[in-house]
Every structure is written in C-alpha cells, then in structure tokens.
C-alpha cells in the first residue's frame, strides 16, 4: 500500500449516512490499490510523481479563505462555487428558474449516499471518490423545461496550510425534453498542488439536450482526476466542448452510453500543454441502440516537456445498426521533448454501421510559418497564430463570449519563442 | 539598394546558385528570366530568408546591411517583400487579422506608431479599390479556398498594403489568365516609385509587356549569363532559352552585374 493511498485514506470525519458506502469503497480500494504501469488504462500516465506526496483533508479554511477568480461573464441560471471541494455559499448564486432544481449534496448525506450506491465505482479513482466525497451537487431539470441561461459549476483550487485532497460528486439529470446549458469551470485562484477528484453523472431523458462546456484552467501544480459519465435516452443530444490547459497532472475519463434510439453525441475537445504538464484524456463511447451517432473531434498541442495522451474508444454494440461513429484526433508537437500518444480504437459488433476514425501527430507547417514571417510577423507571434488556428478549428461551436474567453486562455498559455530549441 | 556578389546557394545538398551577381538601384525594375531549374525561385527564397537554403559563398547587401544576417521578419520590416509563386493556405487565420498584425509588427520594428483597426481598414479600402478587389477577401482565412488567380492577387494586395522597398515577384504571372495578369500588372505599376525597386522573376516574356523592366537578366544554371534592356526579353521569346545556352558555353564566365 503506497504512502499516497495511506495519506488519502487516513482518518476523516464523515456523516453517519455515508459510513457504509465509504467503508465499502475504502475496502475495495485497499484491495485494488492505485493503478500502476501495468494497468492498461494508465499505461501512459504514471502516478509516481504523487507517490511521496501527503494530502490533508478537511476544509483548511476553504470555507472562508478569500479567493481571486475571474468568473465567466454573462448571466447564469445558477453559479455554484466550490473551493478546494467545499461549497461556498457566499460565492454562489441560485436563481429561480421554473423547472430547475439544485440540491447541495453536502447538506443531504442520505441523498449523496444514495447516489454513490446507485453507480458503484469501476476503478480506483472511482473508489477513491466514493470513499472521500462529502459534498457535491445535484442539478435537475424537469421534463419539458428549457433553462435559458447556463448553470455554472466553478471549482476553485486555492493554497491551504498543506496540500489538500478533495472529492466531489455531481449528478445532472434532465427529464424528457428538458434542455440545459452547463458550464464546468476549473480554475486556480493561486498556485496550489491540491489533488481533486470529481465524478459527474449526466442522465439525459428522451429528447433532452445538454450543451456542456468544460473549461479546465487549474493551477499548474494541481492534480485533477475527472470522470464524466453520460447516459443518453431516445433522441437525446449531448453537445460537449472540453478545453484543457491547466493542472500538472490531469486525467479525464469521458464515458458516454448512447442507450436510446437516435441518441447523439457531438464532442469537441482541445488540450494545450506546456512545461511538464501531463494530460490524459480517455474516451469510451458506446453505441447501445440503433441509429445512434457520435461525432468527436479532439485536438492536442504539447510544448516544452509536456505530454498529452488521447485514447478514443468507440464501441458499437451488437444490434446497434445504423450507428454513425466519427472520431478524429489531430495533434501538434511544438518541441522535440514534448510527447503525444494517441490511440483511436473502434470496436464494431453490429452490421450496418458508418464509422471513420483517424489520428495524427505533426508539427507546425514550416511553409505557413515562413509565409507569416515573410510578412513581418515575429516567430513567436507567427507560431501562436498557427497554434490558435489549429485549436480554433474545433471551437467554432462555442458561443462568442465563451469563445473569446477560451481564445484568451489559449493565447495566454500558448508557446513563447524560447519554448522550442 | 540591393547588391548580390558571387552568391552560391545549396538546397538539400545540391548547388543551385553558382556565383550569381546582381545589382539593383532604387526606382528600377529588374526582370529575371530563365529556363525551369535555373535557380529563379531559389533566388527569391534566399532573399526572403527561407530555411533550408544554405549560402556557401557570396554576399547580399541590402541598403548597406548584410541581408543574410537578418531573420525573415526583420527583412520584411526592413522592406523586403516576396510575392510567392505558391502562396500558402492557412486555415483558421483570418486575412484581415493577419495583415494588421503583420503591418503593425513591421511598424513597431521601425519605431512607427501601430495602426488601430479604423486606420487599418481605411488603408485596406484604398488598396482594395486600386486593385479592384472585393471586401470579401478580407473575411476569409489566408488564401484558404482561393483560386490560383485569387492567391496571386492577394499577394499583390499584400504588396500594396505593406509598401515594401524591394519587392520580389516570384512567377506571379504563372497560372493567370490575361485579365488577372493585367490586374496584377496594374497593381505593380501603381506601386512603381523612385524609392522602390522590383525584382520580377518570370519564365515568360508576356508579363513584361505589362510590367516594363529597366533591365532584363537571363539566369541559367545558377548564374546570370546575360543582361540587357527589355529587348532581351523579346529576343528570348523569339529564339527560346536554347539560344542562350548556345551563346554561353559552360566554360564562359557570363556572370554580369545589371543596372
């Protein structure tokens, strides 16, 4: 048993209602241990850097600490702010939209326990999340309700007396025909090396539509392990944009089950890394029902000594005829020391299926770079322009205000001239 | 303005320019003609600073400075412009955004005030009018989906906007129909100025009916083998490049400085 796991599973206070589910998760995790290099799903992402770390629990002042964060502009139906995994009433706002229900799970341990029991963890970080989650939120949209302004869930990392490990559980439920825009924003209010874990379940009823934006701009020393688990009903639509530029070590498992006839996933993702950042995105999309569709385009940029991992698996189950599965992953290496590993995997058990997948790893087009420089653009500006264009190719679906924010985020993170030897 | 002396250039290990010398004064238009493979495009690329062109001997002096010591963007800011034979398509980079960034980068380098978007658009509209180009060009990504003619006209539009001192046109006439050729020539002629020099690289004499050069050079096998006035272009057209090859046996050192 690693020191890391001992530190994570040390004595922690928890409500009685959670005791059973926590004990079960802890026992399972002690049995399984954290994933190592022989674990296929963690082949490219080593936890060794975390092994000697110690994480404190408790809020370490998270309930009261002043934070400095630029929240996303524009109106919102609700803004729920968590600082180091602890809900902050004073920073949150909840409007009064009809059909929108928001419950804080920290105040309802029975509900939290029920949610944890309803979806037993399938891996070590799922168990860790179940063992540690004390707080979270459930967002429910009633059948037929269309919520106009987006709901924002903001995760703020901030320094505490020691590094903090936190876990959250989020449940998003859309009734039949319901519509919601949801923005998940991860941001650091200052440098910190906290380790966060979030498991989010999205349940979309028939004809429901969820427009989901995930913006991960965590502090560069932080660790973040996320699992986004979506189940789509008949003719439901999940439209997802994921932008990942922050954290030292980021892992995101995106698991989507197209369970209802005609369910559709459209997803666009970008990661842009530098320094020694490591980001691992693992997609598992399953076409369960007939005439389901997924359209996935992901782009990655790695500079300096960073490393990006993309594993995109699409499974078309037996009987899911008429499925349409499209996956493209294009990557850009900006330095000789950067690395990107990409692996598209297509597994088809049905007959009439339309499927295409492709992945590339390349470098900036020298011809384009010279063209821009020959017009007077300095090398670093020319490079940034080309990288921004590369990333921007999958961001056209974002609404303008968010797009501007994402562009600024990418521009601020993207390579400077000295980045490449 | 430009003085090239005994320039030797290797590309991918092969010597392409083999002792090229050339001198261009401000206000002059020089044409370089020559058969395919003579080194015409190599000359344009090496002057603009493209990577992969290894200068093994010789010097290039531009306005009293060593041009070869400058980065491509410094050359641009100092007034060197290459109109590409094959302009590159750059998806996702808006033409207007790119040109304003380029112009302002050049102005910043020269210690001039940057143009705000209103000033820039005013300037753009003037140049578009002179070249009979549509606004629509500005809203598209750089050269993306442009026809061959549109790409070449976009090069001349950039030339007009950036107002360089030394403009190198690398086979700008190739792939153009006669109307587009006239439009390109009109654009260039409108830019002729006592303070500005042009180096027009072409395979065909046709362009020189519209852009009348002061000096015509013949480039063959990596060297200037003959220089003369515009009548030289007509003779070439009449007799073909084999005529030149016959007049200049390999032993003959025909490197000539024009001007």
């Amino acid at each position: 048993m690693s020191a890391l796991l001992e530190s994570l599973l040390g004595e922690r206070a928890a409500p009685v209602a959670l005791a059973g589910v926590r004990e079960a998760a802890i026992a399972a995790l002690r049995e399984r241990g954290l994933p190592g290099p022989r674990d296929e799903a963690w082949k490219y992402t080593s936890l060794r850097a975390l092994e000697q770390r110690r994480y404190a629990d408790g809020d370490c002042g998270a309930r009261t600490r002043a934070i400095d964060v630029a929240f996303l502009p524009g109106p919102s139906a609700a803004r729920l702010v968590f600082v180091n995994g602890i809900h902050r009433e004073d920073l949150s706002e909840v409007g009064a939209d009809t059909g929108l229900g928001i419950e804080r799970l920290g105040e309802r341990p029975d509900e939290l326990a029920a949610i944890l029991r309803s979806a037993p963890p399938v891996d070590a970080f799922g168990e860790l999340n179940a063992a540690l989650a004390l707080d979270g939120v459930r967002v429910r949209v009633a059948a037929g309700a269309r919520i106009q302004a987006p709901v924002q869930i903001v995760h703020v990392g901030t320094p505490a007396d020691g590094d903090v490990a936190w876990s959250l559980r989020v449940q998003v439920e859309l009734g039949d025909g319901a519509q919601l825009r949801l923005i998940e924003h991860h941001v650091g209010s200052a440098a910190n090396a906290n380790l966060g874990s979030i498991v989010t379940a999205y349940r979309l009823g028939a004809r429901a539509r969820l427009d989901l934006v995930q913006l991960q701009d965590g502090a560069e020393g932080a660790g973040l392990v996320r699992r986004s688990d979506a189940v789509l009903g008949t003719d439901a639509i999940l439209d997802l944009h994921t932008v990942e530029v922050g954290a030292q070590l980021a892992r995101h498992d995106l698991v989507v089950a197209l369970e209802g006839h005609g369910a559709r996933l459209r997803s666009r993702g970008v990661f842009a890394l530098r320094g020694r950042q490591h980001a691992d995105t693992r997609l598992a999309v399953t076409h369960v029902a007939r005439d389901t569709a997924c359209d996935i385009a992901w782009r990655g940029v790695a500079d300096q000594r960073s490393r990006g991992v993309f594993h995109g698996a699409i499974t078309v189950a037996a009987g899911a005829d008429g499925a349409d599965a499209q996956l493209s992953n294009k990557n850009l290496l900006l330095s000789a020391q950067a690395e990107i590993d990409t692996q598209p995997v297509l597994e088809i058990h049905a007959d009439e299926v339309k499927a295409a997948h492709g992945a590339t790893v390349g470098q900036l087009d020298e011809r384009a770079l010279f063209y821009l420089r020959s017009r007077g653009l300095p090398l670093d500006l020319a490079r940034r322009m080309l990288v921004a264009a590369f990333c921007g190719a999958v961001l056209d679906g974002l609404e303008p205000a968010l797009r501007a924010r994402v562009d600024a985020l990418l521009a601020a993170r993207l390579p400077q001239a000295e980045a490449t030897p | 303005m430009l003085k090239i002396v005994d320039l030797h250039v290797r590309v991918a290990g092969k010597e392409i320019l083999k002792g090229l010398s050339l001198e261009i004064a401000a206000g002059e238009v020089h044409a370089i003609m020559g058969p395919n493979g003579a080194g015409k495009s190599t000359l344009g690329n090496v002057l603009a600073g493209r990577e992969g062109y290894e200068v093994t001997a010789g010097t290039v002096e531009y306005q009293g400075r060593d041009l070869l010591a400058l980065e491509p963007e410094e050359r641009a800011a100092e007034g060197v412009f290459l109109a590409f034979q094959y302009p590159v398509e750059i998806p996702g980079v808006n033409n207007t955004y790119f040109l304003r960034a380029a112009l302002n980068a050049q102005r910043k380098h020269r210690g001039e005030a940057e143009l705000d978007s209103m000033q820039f658009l005013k300037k753009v509209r003037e140049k578009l009018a002179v070249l009979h180009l549509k606004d629509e060009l500005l809203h598209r990504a750089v050269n993306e989906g442009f026809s061959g003619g549109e790409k070449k006209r976009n090069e001349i539009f950039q030339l007009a906007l950036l107002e360089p001192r030394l403009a190198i046109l690398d086979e700008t006439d190739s792939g153009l129909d006669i109307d587009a050729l006239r439009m390109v020539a009109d654009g260039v002629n409108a830019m002729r100025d006592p303070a500005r020099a042009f180096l027009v690289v072409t395979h065909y004499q046709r362009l020189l009916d519209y852009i009348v050069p002061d000096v015509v050079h013949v480039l063959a096998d990596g060297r200037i083998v003959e220089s003369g006035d515009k009548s030289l272009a007509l003779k070439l057209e009449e007799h073909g490049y084999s005529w030149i090859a016959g007049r200049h046996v390999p032993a003959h050192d025909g490197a000539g400085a024009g001007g």
Side-chain angles (χ1 to χ4, degrees), chain B residues 34-192:
Chain B
N36 289 327
K40 299 194 300 292
S41 285
T42 296
L43 178 61
N45 280 316
V46 84
L47 292 178
R50 187 175 203 136
E51 275 179 41
Y53 291 78
E54 188 197 349
V55 176
T56 54
T59 57
V60 179
E61 198 181 294
Y62 167 73
Q63 296 194 315
R65 296 182 66 177
D66 176 9
L67 184 69
L68 301 176
L70 303 179
E71 295 293 330
E73 57 268 34
E74 293 172 322
R75 300 182 195 199
E78 295 290 334
V80 176
F81 180 93
L82 172 66
F84 283 65
Q85 183 179 6
Y86 302 108
V88 186
E89 296 197 19
I90 311 182
V93 176
N94 172 273
N95 222 358
T96 311
Y97 169 67
F98 152 59
L99 285 174
R100 187 174 158 217
L103 182 61
N104 278 337
Q106 290 199 17
R107 293 179 69 93
K108 192 174 165 193
H109 177 96
R110 295 193 293 258
E112 298 164 12
E114 295 184 24
L115 299 185
D116 66 27
S117 55
M118 293 303 290
Q119 293 166 318
F120 177 72
L121 274 177
K122 185 166 172 283
K123 196 174 170 73
V124 160
R125 294 255 147 75
E126 286 168 19
K127 304 299 181 185
L128 284 174
V130 173
L131 288 166
H132 311 288
L133 288 169
K134 291 188 191 122
D135 272 24
E136 184 242 3
L137 181 87
L138 297 170
H139 307 305
R140 292 161 65 176
V142 179
N143 293 322
E144 192 188 21
F146 285 26
S147 69
E150 283 176 321
K151 283 180 185 170
K152 296 299 177 75
R153 274 149 68 184
N154 194 27
E155 294 293 289
I156 301 306
F157 169 61
Q158 293 180 25
L159 167 70
L161 192 74
L162 297 172
E163 300 174 315
R165 293 185 181 178
L166 172 65
I168 304 154
L169 275 55
D170 187 8
E171 304 213 18
T172 299
D173 52 333
S174 66
L176 290 188
D177 64 27
I178 194 71
D179 291 335
L181 185 71
R182 275 210 189 103
M183 214 176 279
V184 161
D186 287 350
V188 169
N189 288 329
M191 298 277 299
R192 286 181 81 150

Side-chain angles (χ1 to χ4, degrees), chain A residues 63-407:
Chain A
R63 270 178 222 287
T64 52
R65 200 176 288 265
I67 61 152
D68 174 24
V69 168
F71 292 119
L72 296 174
S76 56
R79 187 176 68 208
L80 303 151
V81 180
F82 294 84
V83 175
N84 292 352
I86 304 285
H87 180 258
R88 278 283 288 263
E89 197 81 53
D90 58 323
L91 301 172
S92 300
E93 302 164 352
V94 177
D97 289 68
T98 310
L100 176 64
I102 292 185
E103 297 161 85
R104 276 201 39 224
L105 297 175
E107 291 170 345
R108 296 162 196 258
D110 289 330
E111 293 287 324
L112 178 56
I115 287 171
L116 291 173
R117 271 193 295 268
S118 72
V122 295
D123 61 13
F125 277 93
E127 284 155 356
L128 186 65
N129 183 275
L132 300 184
L134 285 172
D135 208 339
V137 64
R138 170 151 65 184
V139 177
R140 280 197 275 200
V141 183
R146 298 179 173 191
I147 310 303
Q148 294 302 318
V151 169
Q152 287 184 37
I153 302 178
V154 187
H155 302 282
V156 183
T158 199
D161 301 332
D163 298 338
V164 175
W166 55 267
S167 289
L168 279 179
R169 191 77 180 198
V170 180
Q171 186 86 5
V172 179
E173 298 170 8
L174 274 65
D176 292 351
Q179 292 190 6
L180 177 69
R181 289 156 64 203
L182 176 64
I183 301 170
E184 298 168 0
H185 188 195
H186 298 264
V187 64
S189 87
N192 68 78
N194 299 335
L195 177 64
S197 148
I198 303 180
V199 173
T200 306
Y202 310 88
R203 299 290 175 262
L204 277 64
R207 300 175 316 283
R209 177 180 176 126
L210 176 63
D211 288 283
L212 176 61
V213 176
Q214 302 177 319
L215 214 54
Q216 195 272 96
D217 181 27
E220 276 192 30
L224 181 65
V225 181
R226 286 185 289 163
R227 182 182 171 93
S228 303
D229 195 330
V231 178
L232 277 64
T234 303
D235 291 324
I237 296 174
L238 173 58
D239 187 290
L240 167 68
H241 285 85
T242 289
V243 176
E244 191 145 32
V245 297
Q248 185 65 45
L249 175 68
R251 163 72 176 228
H252 184 200
D253 284 68
L254 174 63
V255 183
V256 181
L258 302 168
E259 286 196 348
H261 177 267
R264 281 184 286 156
L265 164 70
R266 180 182 182 274
S267 110
R268 298 288 178 264
V270 170
F271 61 81
L273 312 171
R274 64 179 183 186
R276 289 179 175 272
Q277 284 182 291
H278 183 114
D280 181 346
T281 301
R282 197 172 174 90
L283 262 59
V285 177
T286 308
H287 292 257
V288 180
R290 295 174 67 98
D291 301 323
T292 45
C294 74
D295 169 11
I296 301 166
W298 224 271
R299 296 211 165 185
V301 180
D303 197 7
Q304 297 169 333
R305 294 174 171 275
S306 63
R307 188 163 186 196
V309 182
F310 180 88
H311 181 94
I314 299 177
T315 305
V316 180
D321 296 306
D324 183 348
Q326 310 289 330
L327 168 69
S328 137
N329 173 231
K330 293 184 179 175
N331 300 286
L332 205 48
L333 289 176
L334 297 179
S335 110
Q337 287 84 38
E339 185 176 331
I340 293 182
D341 298 287
T342 173
Q343 194 178 13
V345 182
L346 205 50
E347 209 177 293
I348 299 177
H349 303 287
D351 294 329
E352 286 174 42
V353 171
K354 213 169 103 189
H357 69 298
T360 59
V361 180
Q363 283 154 6
L364 279 181
D365 179 356
E366 286 298 331
R367 287 164 50 246
L369 205 54
F370 175 62
Y371 189 82
L372 296 178
R373 294 178 76 193
S374 79
R375 298 302 182 243
L377 291 172
L379 178 61
D380 67 332
L381 186 55
R383 283 162 52 96
R384 269 186 287 166
M385 217 178 250
L386 291 179
V387 175
F390 176 81
C391 296
V394 294
L395 297 174
D396 283 341
L398 283 177
E399 57 154 315
L402 259 179
R403 173 67 194 268
R405 179 68 177 255
V406 167
D407 284 348

